Amino acid sequence: MLIERSKAASQRSDIRTYKGVGVSPGIAIGRAVIIEKRVVQIYRVPIRDEDVPAEVTRFLESLEKTRDQLHELKAKVSRSMGEEYASIFEAHAMMVSDPSFADKVVQKIEEEQVNAEWALSEVQEELQARFQSFEEEYLRERVADVKDVAERVLRNLQGVAHHDLSEIKHDVIILADDLTPSDTVHFNRRPIVGFATETGGRTSHVSIIAKSLFMPAVIGVPRLTKIVDNDEMVIVDGYEGIVLVNPTPAMIAEYRSRVSRHEESERKLLENRDLPATTKDGRSVSLQANLELLEELDDAIKFGAQGIGLYRSEFLYISKSPDLPNEDEHFEVYRRIVEKLAPQTCVIRTFDLGGKKLAREVIGSKEDNPVLGLRGLRLCMKHREMFKTQLRALLRASAYGDMKIMFPLVSGVQEVRQVKTFIREIRAELDAEGKPYNPDLKIGIMIEVPSAALIADLLAEEADFFAIGTNDLIQYSLAIDRANENVSYLYEPLHPALLRLIKNVIDAGKRANIPVSMCGEMASDPIFAIVLLGLGLENFSMNPSSIPVIKNVVRSVRYKDCRRIAEMALQKRTAQEIEEFVIENVALRFPEGVVGKNV
Ligand code: PEP
Ligand code: MG
């Protein structure tokens, strides 16, 4: 719970600029709210004069509750483990009953007019510092007791009606050490206008959601929560990957005018909405949208998506967690999507839970190395009841429109065979119940594990289509955790190994005559898109707002030239060489320019 922010920083007004990685474009301006996720979330909420007595009561009630809990705990421990252990809780209960502890917190609430959680954390910090300074070891050890007690009171405080960010009336920028996808899905509303974190990677799910929510975001700023203070004015520049603290009014004005310029150029880009994604020499590709939240469906349509190439259905679970959606809830969502998109197609990916996405909540145990553990299809096949609920709903929804399903994290042929057998069993069940479904429902797989990419020819005999997931394919083939900022410099989609794997998959798909798409973030970058076009990729799926950018790229190039660029790129030895070569060639071959954000 302890918030180790620097006291010295609290009065600062100096302009500071911190560099991170811009993962979601846009500019957000607001006041900092620091969240330390690795500990418990607490933020400072100013309260009105007349609300102070109620806040004090809220605190005293939680203290009372804590005291009762500790007495109960003491009795229980004493019965099961003996007096010696029970005395720990006796000491804790004494601390809670100590009037000077309660008085200090009450005084803070009253004098600073702040929420009880904040006042408590401040007192906790003072007490811990005091105990820490003692020479006697047994007194220094009390630091852990203070922490324990304060956390218990805090949990009780938060169990009682507690303050939340929606009470803050000005725009807020969240600055956090770490965020999970489920935190981020709740950022969908004011006052939160942007965020920045210490951790994360370009393709971590937190970054992907930020883009879907059109929320400017910067990740990977070291020690961010320690070097910025609550309530400082902050600009998050998601284009440049910059967090600017305490900007001058002139700087704020300049950023606001940049926002208008960007809006204007985005509006211009949207003019191509109804034009085909066809190269100058007549090769057409399809540009589809990735979807995480249902609310994005309108954006996909607005930006001219030709269907949904990836619906990350696990976000259904993430927004409902800790409950699992039941069959009808699944079914309603899928039916709404396919009906709304008709006559276009929608590819729904079954739950890709695990890894960093809530595995612990689903499987109830902690894995040492979850990214290489029970994740995606593996997790679903292990938890068949949960999987069956989703598959039944998917099959039923397939009767309502053009829908395909696909499975994440496939690593070999056997897994595909097993899941197809499972689907056959479920179909037989639905037949027996007289429930309709599409008997020709296409079943595809994600290619995002190097083993799958290498045996794409074998997998093509089992699957109706492939979707290349470069976010994971890069993670697993280059051995870089996609959410770890320390290795994000190694995120190299143009790494020769990657290009070879991608080519292998596209070629295998062509030979077997099955469609191949790409739905990893790589597909939404103009430079990479040129190489992918040249490698023969025909279906690109991306966050909706990138569609007009990539469409302009496609419309300004010749396929013939892209092929040549891709062939030459495959001869190079490093990602840097390839990137430099592609950029040079783009400038040479397309002197009139390729309209795109990174070009
Ligand atoms: C991928 O891995 O590229 C992908 C699209 O799936 P996700 O980002 O959800 O893991
Ligand atoms: Mg993936």
Side-chain angles (χ1 to χ4, degrees):
M1 173 170 73
L2 177 63
I3 299 194
E4 293 168 26
R5 63 214 168 310
S6 136
K7 291 280 182 202
S10 60
Q11 304 307 326
R12 284 199 300 222
S13 60
D14 49 326
I15 303 161
R16 281 116 64 207
T17 305
Y18 303 111
K19 183 82 185 103
V21 182
V23 290
S24 176
I27 286 160
I29 305 172
R31 297 218 167 257
V33 166
I34 315 279
I35 291 182
E36 299 214 40
K37 272 293 300 183
R38 287 178 188 146
V39 272
V40 176
Q41 280 188 28
I42 308 177
Y43 28 84
R44 184 180 195 279
V45 182
I47 54 176
R48 288 178 310 183
D49 214 5
E50 60 267 37
D51 294 334
V52 167
E55 194 62 7
V56 169
T57 309
R58 195 167 76 86
F59 168 67
L60 293 177
E61 279 172 4
S62 72
L63 214 55
E64 182 79 35
K65 195 168 172 189
T66 309
R67 197 176 305 125
D68 292 347
Q69 287 167 347
L70 284 166
H71 283 308
E72 251 173 56
L73 198 62
K74 180 187 165 242
K76 213 156 126 189
V77 172
S78 153
R79 280 192 304 275
S80 58
M81 299 169 70
E83 272 307 309
E84 191 193 337
Y85 290 95
S87 65
I88 299 171
F89 299 103
E90 174 71 40
H92 285 191
M94 273 166 65
M95 197 182 305
V96 170
S97 306
D98 180 350
S100 69
F101 172 68
D103 287 351
K104 276 201 182 75
V105 179
V106 170
Q107 195 182 347
K108 270 226 183 317
I109 298 174
E110 289 174 344
E111 282 176 4
E112 295 182 23
Q113 296 197 357
V114 287
N115 52 327
E117 289 87 345
W118 184 261
L120 174 66
S121 80
E122 295 262 305
V123 171
Q124 177 196 352
E125 207 173 328
E126 284 165 19
L127 282 175
Q128 291 192 156
R130 185 126 49 88
F131 279 120
Q132 192 74 56
S133 68
F134 285 122
E135 279 195 359
E136 296 85 341
E137 195 171 340
Y138 79 96
L139 283 173
R140 283 207 312 274
E141 280 166 1
R142 298 288 305 277
V143 170
D145 294 327
V146 174
K147 183 168 184 286
D148 204 349
V149 168
E151 282 182 1
R152 192 175 285 281
V153 179
L154 183 75
R155 275 196 294 275
N156 285 325
L157 261 176
Q158 298 198 325
V160 188
H162 64 278
H163 295 277
D164 69 38
L165 286 173
S166 64
E167 290 173 47
I168 299 180
K169 295 291 171 249
H170 50 256
D171 287 354
V172 155
I173 305 274
I174 298 287
L175 302 181
D177 50 0
D178 195 19
L179 290 171
T180 61
S182 36
D183 296 321
T184 330
V185 287
H186 298 299
F187 283 2
N188 203 0
R189 54 187 97 95
R190 276 213 127 78
I192 303 172
V193 292
F195 72 84
T197 61
E198 295 174 9
T199 56
R202 216 179 269 280
T203 63
S204 63
H205 287 95
V206 167
S207 308
I208 289 170
I209 300 165
K211 257 195 236 166
S212 331
L213 296 175
F214 297 96
M215 177 152 289
V218 171
I219 54 140
V221 184
R223 303 189 66 250
L224 184 63
T225 56
K226 310 282 184 292
I227 51 187
V228 184
D229 235 21
N230 270 290
D231 229 29
E232 284 195 291
M233 195 66 182
V234 171
I235 295 179
V236 167
D237 179 348
Y239 297 108
E240 302 293 332
I242 283 172
V243 177
L244 179 61
V245 185
N246 279 321
T248 60
M251 286 168 162
I252 295 180
E254 163 56 20
Y255 269 98
R256 289 207 199 283
S257 77
R258 276 182 59 192
V259 171
S260 332
R261 288 201 298 277
H262 277 292
E263 280 170 1
E264 175 57 19
S265 72
E266 267 160 26
R267 205 186 47 69
K268 266 210 153 73
L269 272 174
L270 265 180
E271 286 169 4
N272 72 14
R273 183 188 179 285
D274 298 316
L275 299 174
T278 305
T279 61
K280 284 191 160 157
D281 51 353
R283 180 175 172 86
S284 291
V285 295
S286 87
L287 301 182
Q288 299 183 308
N290 290 350
L291 191 74
E292 285 78 43
L293 308 167
L294 224 49
E295 302 91 74
E296 292 168 80
L297 204 49
D298 288 333
D299 292 324
I301 295 166
K302 177 177 119 195
F303 287 104
Q306 298 164 273
I308 299 296
L310 165 68
Y311 170 47
R312 292 180 162 100
S313 71
E314 60 276 8
F315 281 88
L316 243 187
Y317 174 78
I318 288 175
S319 24
K320 273 190 73 80
S321 165
D323 298 323
L324 281 166
N326 63 32
E327 184 178 321
D328 284 337
E329 286 167 335
H330 273 292
F331 170 73
E332 274 313 314
V333 171
Y334 306 145
R335 189 174 61 91
R336 266 171 58 198
I337 299 177
V338 285
E339 284 186 345
K340 186 149 187 180
L341 274 176
Q344 289 177 336
T345 186
C346 175
V347 180
I348 301 184
R349 177 176 77 185
T350 57
F351 277 170
D352 181 13
L353 291 163
K356 303 238 158 128
K357 283 184 277 190
L358 290 169
R360 204 182 320 175
E361 287 83 343
V362 181
I363 62 179
S365 69
K366 184 175 173 329
E367 293 179 306
D368 280 343
N369 202 349
V371 175
L372 297 179
L374 266 189
R375 184 193 155 180
L377 182 58
R378 305 165 184 182
L379 182 142
C380 285
M381 286 301 273
K382 201 95 201 185
H383 294 266
R384 298 245 179 156
E385 274 313 303
M386 173 186 88
F387 198 21
K388 186 170 166 182
T389 305
Q390 181 174 36
L391 288 173
R392 277 179 60 97
L394 281 167
L395 277 159
R396 284 172 51 206
S398 71
Y400 290 80
D402 187 1
M403 186 189 108
K404 302 182 174 84
I405 59 173
M406 73 175 170
F407 302 111
L409 214 81
V410 167
S411 59
V413 167
Q414 189 67 4
E415 285 168 317
V416 186
R417 290 190 179 152
Q418 280 166 348
V419 70
K420 280 166 72 181
T421 305
F422 191 39
I423 289 178
R424 274 196 293 277
E425 287 165 20
I426 294 172
R427 282 175 57 156
E429 244 180 56
L430 292 174
D431 286 338
E433 295 167 22
K435 299 218 162 101
Y437 59 87
N438 173 9
D440 295 322
L441 177 64
K442 299 281 181 255
I443 296 173
I445 57 173
M446 295 219 36
I447 305 286
E448 48 185 355
V449 177
S451 60
L454 287 167
I455 57 160
D457 55 335
L458 306 180
L459 287 166
E461 291 171 15
E462 311 288 333
D464 295 320
F465 63 94
F466 288 156
I468 307 174
T470 44
N471 303 339
D472 278 312
L473 192 57
I474 293 172
Q475 155 165 277
Y476 292 120
S477 48
L478 302 186
I480 50 163
D481 179 345
R482 60 193 268 190
N484 181 341
E485 68 282 7
N486 297 320
V487 286
S488 59
Y489 73 100
L490 287 172
Y491 171 79
E492 292 179 331
L494 295 180
H495 190 294
L498 245 303
L499 291 191
R500 290 184 194 189
L501 288 172
I502 292 169
K503 182 175 180 336
N504 196 46
V505 179
I506 296 174
D507 291 349
K510 283 216 162 70
R511 279 195 299 273
N513 205 18
I514 62 168
V516 178
S517 70
M518 179 179 289
C519 53
E521 293 297 293
M522 183 179 183
S524 64
D525 181 290
I527 285 291
F528 304 156
I530 287 173
V531 180
L532 295 168
L533 264 172
L535 288 173
L537 188 73
E538 291 176 12
N539 306 290
F540 296 66
S541 191
M542 62 200 76
N543 65 295
S545 62
S546 295
I547 293 175
V549 178
I550 297 301
K551 191 186 280 184
N552 265 3
V553 172
V554 173
R555 290 178 59 80
S556 29
V557 299
R558 276 178 298 267
Y559 175 51
K560 197 172 68 173
D561 293 330
C562 294
R563 272 187 47 191
R564 184 87 196 109
I565 289 174
E567 269 163 31
M568 297 290 290
L570 283 165
Q571 312 298 320
K572 307 272 172 210
R573 280 165 166 65
T574 69
Q576 287 84 346
E577 277 175 34
I578 298 176
E579 183 150 355
E580 279 163 21
F581 167 77
V582 179
I583 290 174
E584 237 169 63
N585 266 268
V586 168
L588 272 179
R589 285 170 201 261
F590 312 110
E592 66 276 35
V594 170
V595 189
K597 49 187 173 185
N598 298 341
V599 181

